[in-house]
Amino acid sequence: MKLASLDQGRDGQLIIVSRDLTQAVHAHDIAPTLQFALDNWDQVEADLQHLYRNLNDGIAQDVFPFNPAHCASPLPRAFQWADGSAYVNHVELVRKARGAEMPESFWTDPLMYQGMSDGFLGPRQDIEMADESWGIDFEGEIAVITNDVPMGTRTEEVHGHIKLLMLVNDVSLRNLIPAELSKGFGFFQSKPASAFSPVAVTPDELGDSWHDYKVHQRLTVHLNDKLFGEPNAGVDMTFNFAELVQHVAKSRHICAGTIIGSGTVSNVDRSSGSCCLAERRMLEIIDQGQAVTPFMKFGDKVRIEMFDDNGDSIFGAIEQTVVKYQHQYDPADLNHHKPD
């Protein structure tokens, strides 16, 4: 099943999207929003699946063309957004470039931070930034959305708790990170609003590509219409999503609608390219002694997408342009989407 949220109201309006991402149908008679659906998953899943089958079979009523430009993030805002760093070779590379040793514990205990979740960017929404000197970067990732997960849940108990998957552009401001981390209190200003793919999909939509709690497909990233990287998300993932869920649940209950990210997808085999500018810059430092690739400038465009074995887009594409933010204070601007 493929689900999306039209950009209507703070929490969007839930729609069902066809498997080929060409058509959609409103689901408001079953669940007005995706958060409502997640809160009541056991009660609404069968009806949503029935509507999805009818849409794909061509017998659904009131069908309309699907346009990602009209979508918010599948969850326009979430109760929790926890982003990990499951591809540890990426972390090792970044530390190596600055001459820092990586603690052995990084291979056995996931890194994770709690990010901004009160308003995500839509899949076609501009990345507004006030200053290019902040080191604007994209990060291509995968994320899961859970239902309610009890505190202390172990990896062998995670089955059934992962309800949906999405792609992520975890926007990062690289030049703000060092000063924040030097305080010993983690990211804040350096991690603005993230963007998610137009649709979220149930694990069964991935078929054989979803196993071992990993997505075994390439994540394709284009920068200014040129291929930047296409590493395989199922390769070199040190911590799978079951392990990431267990990590989050160690000391807290997880609320339905919690989003957990994989961190930047990265392969040891560098021939597949990268999913963020920082990684390419680190490779340049290691190989050439200095970084050559610049961070994003105003007007730069990024596209993040994943395809199945037939070459069809699974989640739709995140397509964003970096633009200059013009500060004109209005309380309504605190909402990324139209007010209720």
Side-chain angles (χ1 to χ4, degrees), residues 181-255:
L181 294 187
S182 69
K183 297 177 182 179
F185 217 59
F187 302 116
F188 193 81
Q189 292 177 334
S190 55
K191 289 290 188 176
S194 297
F196 294 84
S197 51
V199 302
V201 310
T202 49
D204 60 287
E205 287 293 324
L206 296 169
D208 293 339
S209 297
W210 174 250
H211 60 87
D212 303 324
Y213 294 101
K214 301 176 183 179
V215 180
H216 295 265
Q217 290 289 356
R218 293 190 177 276
L219 185 60
T220 303
V221 177
H222 285 82
L223 177 62
N224 295 326
D225 299 321
K226 294 183 180 179
L227 182 64
F228 190 85
E230 49 180 356
N232 191 312
V235 176
D236 304 316
M237 189 180 190
T238 308
F239 304 104
N240 64 27
F241 280 111
E243 293 167 315
L244 294 178
V245 171
Q246 173 184 275
H247 183 82
V248 177
K250 178 177 180 177
S251 59
R252 65 178 72 180
H253 299 292
I254 301 175
C255 174

Side-chain angles (χ1 to χ4, degrees), residues 144-147 149 158-165 203 210 213 241-242 245:
V144 298
I145 306 177
T146 73
N147 63 357
V149 182
V158 169
H159 180 74
H161 285 299
I162 294 175
K163 296 304 181 186
L164 297 165
L165 294 99
W210 174 250
Y213 294 101
F241 280 111
V245 171

Side-chain angles (χ1 to χ4, degrees), residues 67-79:
N67 186 348
H70 296 162
C71 291
S73 166
L75 280 173
R77 56 180 176 172
F79 289 113

Side-chain angles (χ1 to χ4, degrees), residues 10 12 17 26 30 142 225 231 273 332:
R10 283 191 171 189
V17 182
H26 289 283
I30 303 170
I142 301 168
D225 299 321

Side-chain angles (χ1 to χ4, degrees), residues 1-224:
M1 181 166 54
K2 298 191 175 186
L3 304 169
S5 294
L6 294 180
D7 187 8
Q8 297 180 12
R10 283 191 171 189
D11 295 304
Q13 185 178 99
L14 184 64
I15 59 173
I16 303 289
V17 182
S18 61
R19 184 169 285 112
D20 63 5
L21 305 179
T22 63
Q23 295 183 311
V25 63
H26 289 283
H28 49 71
D29 288 343
I30 303 170
T33 67
L34 181 55
Q35 183 61 53
F36 180 95
L38 290 161
D39 286 336
N40 302 277
W41 193 260
D42 290 343
Q43 290 74 46
V44 304
E45 181 188 15
D47 288 338
L48 291 173
Q49 289 281 11
H50 179 72
L51 183 57
Y52 181 62
R53 287 192 297 271
N54 286 349
L55 177 62
N56 287 306
D57 291 343
I59 58 175
Q61 301 295 313
D62 300 321
V63 174
F64 57 92
F66 177 62
N67 186 348
H70 296 162
C71 291
S73 166
L75 280 173
R77 56 180 176 172
F79 289 113
Q80 183 167 220
W81 158 229
D83 198 17
S85 192
Y87 298 85
V88 179
N89 68 87
H90 168 76
V91 182
E92 185 177 43
L93 177 68
V94 172
R95 294 179 69 90
K96 179 180 178 181
R98 66 172 189 258
E101 291 294 323
M102 191 176 76
E104 281 299 315
S105 63
F106 282 25
W107 291 101
T108 57
D109 190 31
L111 292 172
M112 188 165 286
Y113 79 93
Q114 194 157 12
M116 172 183 171
S117 64
D118 56 339
F120 298 123
L121 299 178
R124 297 292 191 274
Q125 192 170 354
D126 290 339
I127 301 169
E128 294 183 305
M129 286 294 150
D131 195 335
E132 287 181 342
S133 71
W134 289 345
I136 306 163
D137 199 357
F138 53 84
E139 290 190 61
E141 306 182 9
I142 301 168
V144 298
I145 306 177
T146 73
N147 63 357
D148 291 316
V149 182
M151 181 168 59
T153 294
R154 309 296 298 173
T155 55
E156 60 270 21
E157 301 169 322
V158 169
H159 180 74
H161 285 299
I162 294 175
K163 296 304 181 186
L164 297 165
L165 294 99
M166 306 182 289
L167 303 183
V168 191
N169 180 16
D170 179 40
V171 180
S172 296
L173 304 177
R174 300 295 185 182
N175 292 338
L176 300 186
I177 289 176
E180 288 202 308
L181 294 187
S182 69
K183 297 177 182 179
F185 217 59
F187 302 116
F188 193 81
Q189 292 177 334
S190 55
K191 289 290 188 176
S194 297
F196 294 84
S197 51
V199 302
V201 310
T202 49
D204 60 287
E205 287 293 324
L206 296 169
D208 293 339
S209 297
W210 174 250
H211 60 87
D212 303 324
Y213 294 101
K214 301 176 183 179
V215 180
H216 295 265
Q217 290 289 356
R218 293 190 177 276
L219 185 60
T220 303
V221 177
H222 285 82
L223 177 62
N224 295 326

